[in-house]
Amino acid sequence: MRIGQLLGTGRSADVYELDEQWVLRRYRVGLDARREMPVMSYLSASGYPVPRLGPLPVSAGPGDLVLQRLSGPTMLESLMSGELGGDEGSAMLVGLLAELHTVPARLSADPEDRILHLDLHPGNVMLTADGPVVIDWSNTEEGPPALDRAMTALILAQVAVDPHGPAAAGARALVDILVPLLTADDGIPARHLAAAAARRAANPTMSPAELALIGKASDLVASLSA
């Protein structure tokens, strides 16, 4: 497997060029990517927009995934450039969550459980010529859809309440639109918001400054959900 140039980097993984069709996503922190593969295959078969999986070479490690190479900006980039408005972006996020939560769980015997992304925010949505595609399924689990909605709202609220963040004003405008839309879709119960906050607090990739914003972000989401 010939690895080409670095195309992007995130909190825990890097993405490298393989060729015109495929990229390699490689974890830097010892995470196992193999748990994501059956979930993404299942979602793809269900018609949900995820990147196609490519064949892993023999030399691949447990932190490697070969994924379809996508063309287009992230939703975050489009929001920041003004190409995508807050109303449209919020509606797209709500729609992607709602569509995801129509897919039954693969493993859970609870009929109310669904596939959850648990990190669905504008940076994890690619806007391709064929429509939005949801990337980065490293946090995926099965459970109540309200937890997924709470997590999306909380992630954006953390950006919105950061007094030193350059994207705070834009994030706040997005949160003000998004949370009422999510609340209309069966709501964000307090227990699920608390569970989302606990998960964020336990995230080892978050900085002390980010961790300090979780309480204020939770209060913002709760106030907009009331």
Side-chain angles (χ1 to χ4, degrees), residues 209-226:
E210 289 173 312
L211 292 171
L213 297 171
I214 292 174
K216 191 173 181 181
S218 296
D219 290 344
L220 175 59
V221 174
S223 69
L224 293 171
S225 304

Side-chain angles (χ1 to χ4, degrees), residues 3-121:
I3 299 176
Q5 65 176 328
L6 178 68
L7 298 176
T9 187
R11 286 180 181 267
S12 58
D14 300 312
V15 177
Y16 297 92
E17 178 184 43
L18 292 180
D19 55 35
E20 293 183 356
Q21 291 185 302
W22 304 104
V23 297
L24 172 72
R25 197 198 71 194
R26 171 168 286 169
Y27 281 125
R28 296 191 304 273
V29 291
L31 297 175
D32 191 340
R34 291 172 295 187
R35 61 182 293 273
E36 301 167 53
M37 296 176 66
V39 179
M40 293 179 69
S41 295
Y42 176 70
L43 288 171
S44 181
S46 300
Y48 192 75
V50 297
R52 297 194 314 274
L53 290 168
L56 281 170
V58 176
S59 59
D64 292 348
L65 272 183
V66 175
L67 300 168
Q68 174 190 4
R69 185 169 184 173
L70 301 172
S71 296
T74 65
M75 182 190 291
L76 177 60
E77 291 168 337
S78 289
L79 286 166
M80 294 184 70
S81 71
E83 292 183 27
L84 187 70
D87 287 337
E88 187 179 359
S90 295
M92 190 180 296
L93 282 173
V94 171
L96 287 168
L97 282 166
E99 183 181 354
L100 176 61
H101 299 153
T102 65
V103 182
R106 292 174 51 245
L107 305 174
S108 174
D110 187 334
E112 300 299 319
D113 282 351
R114 294 292 186 267
I115 303 290
L116 309 182
H117 186 280
L118 296 177
D119 198 22
L120 211 171
H121 57 75

